[in-house]
Amino acid sequence: MSQANPLRTHARVLIASTVGTAVEYYDFFIYATAAALVFGPLFFPAYDPAAQTLLAFVTFGVAFVARPIGAIAFGHFGDRIGRKSTLVASLMLMGASTLGISLLPTYATTGWIAPVLLCLMRFGQGFGLGGEWAGAALLAVENAPRGWVARFGAAPQLGVPLGFAAANGVFLVLGLAMTKAEFAAWGWRIPFLLSAVLVGIGLWVRLRIGETPAFRAALEREAPVQVPVGRLLRDHPGALLAGSAGVVSTYTLFYLATAFALAQGAGPLGYPREAFIGVQLVANAFLTLGILVASTHADRTSPGRTLALGSAGTALVGLIFSPGLAAGMGWAGAMLSLALFVMAFTNAPLGSWLSSLFPTRVRYSGVAFAFNFGGVLGGAVTPILAQALSAAHLAGWAGLLIVVSGLVSLVGVLLARPVAPEPAAS
């Protein structure tokens, strides 16, 4: 049988896994970009610009607080009723919350009601995404033929650069088509409105797929666990801690190389905003390339080995992050390209690596919780700390956050122990 056959025979599953995640991450990234560019003055009182941007990033972090809660809720249903239905529900919630942001009033019109509503919508985004990635990863991994698990598991990860490119592309076009005043007044709402179209596409694709063979096999052996999160905490606490640690570096490196780097580049460093977004789009191509290379490496070696390599590389990238960002547009672009290529080695193997740490009956809960708890540390805490350093005129130290995150993930990978393989469906 040709090696290309798995890609053809499972094309619908791979597209559903990739497209849905691309839609989710488009929604997430347009928020990150808007937070870096306009949300500070739009939704908060007239403090100094650095404080407004810091508050905007705090609302960005609200979603990461919501994500573990969403992971528990969606993980519960994903382990009890199946992957497909849970994936559809998570996408609908994320889409509705993003559309709601496009309709929000600003601080100038409603005062503190505006940031409260913004945080509420942001919580809904995070709650939905809490169940999204894990379900997309399991949809791919649990349909993967032997020898293709890491490459199938990387399908949702390909949605990351696709969503990032779509989000930055929309903001780039808007930046070129309108003035900064027009963008701040109403143009920022357009990317959030466009998400409704993308969500419709994602739902159409996901409603056309079936349940995974691994989940069907688990149901044939015995009834679903009544409270999956309880079983998970009782029987697999070590896997949860190791898995969460293994996720930290990919979040830290990504959000510092995208949202934080944009805030620095278009702010204190004085780079032209549209030009810097263009640089980030070029760097995003290296993330896509890196995912393809890293997932192939993981299938030829092991997901854990690839993730360990990426974690060590992340620590090294952290040493050059701040000086590279401040060295001029060209050097900043080269550094960001390297950073996102290395980030792919921490990102591409996550689907297959995390899935290997938990048995099928609690796998959705385990993968979702580990992925999102690691996201709280890497994707919420570190950007806020980095922006706080910038506000204190210590942005040059932000790279050390990347160094620490790489070392934390490396320890998590070294301590993780995969579970034994389970029988296939009859």
Side-chain angles (χ1 to χ4, degrees), residues 168-183:
N168 265 16
V170 169
F171 275 102
L172 180 59
V173 170
L174 292 176
L176 295 173
M178 60 181 60
T179 66
K180 289 186 177 180
E182 290 172 333
F183 179 79

PDB file of all heavy atoms in Angstrom, residues 168-183:
ATOM      1  N   ASN A 168      -3.681  37.911  10.699  1.00  0.00           N
ATOM      2  CA  ASN A 168      -2.762  38.995  10.394  1.00  0.00           C
ATOM      3  C   ASN A 168      -2.993  39.544   8.994  1.00  0.00           C
ATOM      4  O   ASN A 168      -2.807  40.729   8.739  1.00  0.00           O
ATOM      5  CB  ASN A 168      -1.315  38.514  10.543  1.00  0.00           C
ATOM      6  CG  ASN A 168      -0.754  38.832  11.914  1.00  0.00           C
ATOM      7  OD1 ASN A 168      -1.509  39.133  12.835  1.00  0.00           O
ATOM      8  ND2 ASN A 168       0.549  38.770  12.062  1.00  0.00           N
ATOM      9  N   GLY A 169      -3.391  38.656   8.063  1.00  0.00           N
ATOM     10  CA  GLY A 169      -3.685  39.121   6.714  1.00  0.00           C
ATOM     11  C   GLY A 169      -4.841  40.103   6.693  1.00  0.00           C
ATOM     12  O   GLY A 169      -4.788  41.132   6.011  1.00  0.00           O
ATOM     13  N   VAL A 170      -5.897  39.795   7.453  1.00  0.00           N
ATOM     14  CA  VAL A 170      -7.048  40.703   7.520  1.00  0.00           C
ATOM     15  C   VAL A 170      -6.636  42.034   8.122  1.00  0.00           C
ATOM     16  O   VAL A 170      -6.981  43.118   7.604  1.00  0.00           O
ATOM     17  CB  VAL A 170      -8.192  40.072   8.348  1.00  0.00           C
ATOM     18  CG1 VAL A 170      -9.270  41.106   8.652  1.00  0.00           C
ATOM     19  CG2 VAL A 170      -8.791  38.898   7.599  1.00  0.00           C
ATOM     20  N   PHE A 171      -5.867  42.010   9.209  1.00  0.00           N
ATOM     21  CA  PHE A 171      -5.432  43.255   9.833  1.00  0.00           C
ATOM     22  C   PHE A 171      -4.488  44.035   8.921  1.00  0.00           C
ATOM     23  O   PHE A 171      -4.494  45.270   8.914  1.00  0.00           O
ATOM     24  CB  PHE A 171      -4.746  42.963  11.176  1.00  0.00           C
ATOM     25  CG  PHE A 171      -5.721  42.840  12.314  1.00  0.00           C
ATOM     26  CD1 PHE A 171      -6.086  41.600  12.796  1.00  0.00           C
ATOM     27  CD2 PHE A 171      -6.273  43.958  12.909  1.00  0.00           C
ATOM     28  CE1 PHE A 171      -6.984  41.471  13.847  1.00  0.00           C
ATOM     29  CE2 PHE A 171      -7.172  43.853  13.955  1.00  0.00           C
ATOM     30  CZ  PHE A 171      -7.531  42.605  14.425  1.00  0.00           C
ATOM     31  N   LEU A 172      -3.674  43.327   8.154  1.00  0.00           N
ATOM     32  CA  LEU A 172      -2.767  44.002   7.229  1.00  0.00           C
ATOM     33  C   LEU A 172      -3.550  44.735   6.147  1.00  0.00           C
ATOM     34  O   LEU A 172      -3.278  45.903   5.834  1.00  0.00           O
ATOM     35  CB  LEU A 172      -1.811  42.986   6.600  1.00  0.00           C
ATOM     36  CG  LEU A 172      -0.788  43.535   5.599  1.00  0.00           C
ATOM     37  CD1 LEU A 172       0.099  44.589   6.255  1.00  0.00           C
ATOM     38  CD2 LEU A 172       0.064  42.399   5.036  1.00  0.00           C
ATOM     39  N   VAL A 173      -4.550  44.059   5.575  1.00  0.00           N
ATOM     40  CA  VAL A 173      -5.380  44.686   4.540  1.00  0.00           C
ATOM     41  C   VAL A 173      -6.120  45.903   5.112  1.00  0.00           C
ATOM     42  O   VAL A 173      -6.172  46.974   4.484  1.00  0.00           O
ATOM     43  CB  VAL A 173      -6.382  43.671   3.962  1.00  0.00           C
ATOM     44  CG1 VAL A 173      -7.399  44.368   3.068  1.00  0.00           C
ATOM     45  CG2 VAL A 173      -5.643  42.598   3.172  1.00  0.00           C
ATOM     46  N   LEU A 174      -6.673  45.759   6.290  1.00  0.00           N
ATOM     47  CA  LEU A 174      -7.389  46.869   6.907  1.00  0.00           C
ATOM     48  C   LEU A 174      -6.444  48.038   7.186  1.00  0.00           C
ATOM     49  O   LEU A 174      -6.805  49.206   7.002  1.00  0.00           O
ATOM     50  CB  LEU A 174      -8.059  46.421   8.205  1.00  0.00           C
ATOM     51  CG  LEU A 174      -9.213  45.432   8.058  1.00  0.00           C
ATOM     52  CD1 LEU A 174      -9.709  45.008   9.436  1.00  0.00           C
ATOM     53  CD2 LEU A 174     -10.353  46.044   7.252  1.00  0.00           C
ATOM     54  N   GLY A 175      -5.228  47.720   7.625  1.00  0.00           N
ATOM     55  CA  GLY A 175      -4.261  48.769   7.912  1.00  0.00           C
ATOM     56  C   GLY A 175      -3.862  49.549   6.676  1.00  0.00           C
ATOM     57  O   GLY A 175      -3.595  50.758   6.740  1.00  0.00           O
ATOM     58  N   LEU A 176      -3.827  48.858   5.548  1.00  0.00           N
ATOM     59  CA  LEU A 176      -3.471  49.524   4.295  1.00  0.00           C
ATOM     60  C   LEU A 176      -4.660  50.263   3.686  1.00  0.00           C
ATOM     61  O   LEU A 176      -4.480  51.227   2.938  1.00  0.00           O
ATOM     62  CB  LEU A 176      -2.943  48.490   3.287  1.00  0.00           C
ATOM     63  CG  LEU A 176      -1.627  47.792   3.672  1.00  0.00           C
ATOM     64  CD1 LEU A 176      -1.311  46.684   2.679  1.00  0.00           C
ATOM     65  CD2 LEU A 176      -0.482  48.800   3.739  1.00  0.00           C
ATOM     66  N   ALA A 177      -5.888  49.808   4.001  1.00  0.00           N
ATOM     67  CA  ALA A 177      -7.076  50.363   3.349  1.00  0.00           C
ATOM     68  C   ALA A 177      -7.698  51.529   4.103  1.00  0.00           C
ATOM     69  O   ALA A 177      -8.532  52.243   3.548  1.00  0.00           O
ATOM     70  CB  ALA A 177      -8.121  49.265   3.168  1.00  0.00           C
ATOM     71  N   MET A 178      -7.334  51.712   5.371  1.00  0.00           N
ATOM     72  CA  MET A 178      -7.950  52.783   6.148  1.00  0.00           C
ATOM     73  C   MET A 178      -6.924  53.467   7.030  1.00  0.00           C
ATOM     74  O   MET A 178      -5.837  52.935   7.277  1.00  0.00           O
ATOM     75  CB  MET A 178      -9.112  52.227   6.989  1.00  0.00           C
ATOM     76  CG  MET A 178      -8.734  51.161   7.974  1.00  0.00           C
ATOM     77  SD  MET A 178     -10.166  50.521   8.908  1.00  0.00           S
ATOM     78  CE  MET A 178     -11.212  49.888   7.600  1.00  0.00           C
ATOM     79  N   THR A 179      -7.279  54.631   7.514  1.00  0.00           N
ATOM     80  CA  THR A 179      -6.388  55.359   8.410  1.00  0.00           C
ATOM     81  C   THR A 179      -6.413  54.726   9.803  1.00  0.00           C
ATOM     82  O   THR A 179      -7.311  53.948  10.134  1.00  0.00           O
ATOM     83  CB  THR A 179      -6.815  56.830   8.524  1.00  0.00           C
ATOM     84  OG1 THR A 179      -8.096  56.891   9.177  1.00  0.00           O
ATOM     85  CG2 THR A 179      -6.899  57.476   7.145  1.00  0.00           C
ATOM     86  N   LYS A 180      -5.432  55.095  10.627  1.00  0.00           N
ATOM     87  CA  LYS A 180      -5.401  54.574  11.993  1.00  0.00           C
ATOM     88  C   LYS A 180      -6.631  55.021  12.773  1.00  0.00           C
ATOM     89  O   LYS A 180      -7.155  54.271  13.605  1.00  0.00           O
ATOM     90  CB  LYS A 180      -4.120  55.024  12.700  1.00  0.00           C
ATOM     91  CG  LYS A 180      -2.868  54.345  12.185  1.00  0.00           C
ATOM     92  CD  LYS A 180      -1.649  54.728  13.019  1.00  0.00           C
ATOM     93  CE  LYS A 180      -0.410  53.985  12.526  1.00  0.00           C
ATOM     94  NZ  LYS A 180       0.800  54.340  13.321  1.00  0.00           N
ATOM     95  N   ALA A 181      -7.102  56.235  12.495  1.00  0.00           N
ATOM     96  CA  ALA A 181      -8.296  56.724  13.199  1.00  0.00           C
ATOM     97  C   ALA A 181      -9.528  55.914  12.805  1.00  0.00           C
ATOM     98  O   ALA A 181     -10.358  55.568  13.664  1.00  0.00           O
ATOM     99  CB  ALA A 181      -8.510  58.199  12.876  1.00  0.00           C
ATOM    100  N   GLU A 182      -9.673  55.597  11.524  1.00  0.00           N
ATOM    101  CA  GLU A 182     -10.799  54.786  11.069  1.00  0.00           C
ATOM    102  C   GLU A 182     -10.728  53.377  11.638  1.00  0.00           C
ATOM    103  O   GLU A 182     -11.744  52.805  12.051  1.00  0.00           O
ATOM    104  CB  GLU A 182     -10.816  54.723   9.540  1.00  0.00           C
ATOM    105  CG  GLU A 182     -11.190  56.038   8.869  1.00  0.00           C
ATOM    106  CD  GLU A 182     -10.999  55.999   7.362  1.00  0.00           C
ATOM    107  OE1 GLU A 182     -10.139  55.220   6.891  1.00  0.00           O
ATOM    108  OE2 GLU A 182     -11.708  56.735   6.655  1.00  0.00           O
ATOM    109  N   PHE A 183      -9.503  52.824  11.664  1.00  0.00           N
ATOM    110  CA  PHE A 183      -9.339  51.487  12.219  1.00  0.00           C
ATOM    111  C   PHE A 183      -9.718  51.463  13.695  1.00  0.00           C
ATOM    112  O   PHE A 183     -10.414  50.555  14.153  1.00  0.00           O
ATOM    113  CB  PHE A 183      -7.898  51.021  12.037  1.00  0.00           C
ATOM    114  CG  PHE A 183      -7.625  49.659  12.597  1.00  0.00           C
ATOM    115  CD1 PHE A 183      -7.997  48.517  11.898  1.00  0.00           C
ATOM    116  CD2 PHE A 183      -7.014  49.504  13.833  1.00  0.00           C
ATOM    117  CE1 PHE A 183      -7.759  47.259  12.422  1.00  0.00           C
ATOM    118  CE2 PHE A 183      -6.777  48.253  14.359  1.00  0.00           C
ATOM    119  CZ  PHE A 183      -7.145  47.124  13.652  1.00  0.00           C
TER     120      PHE A 183
END
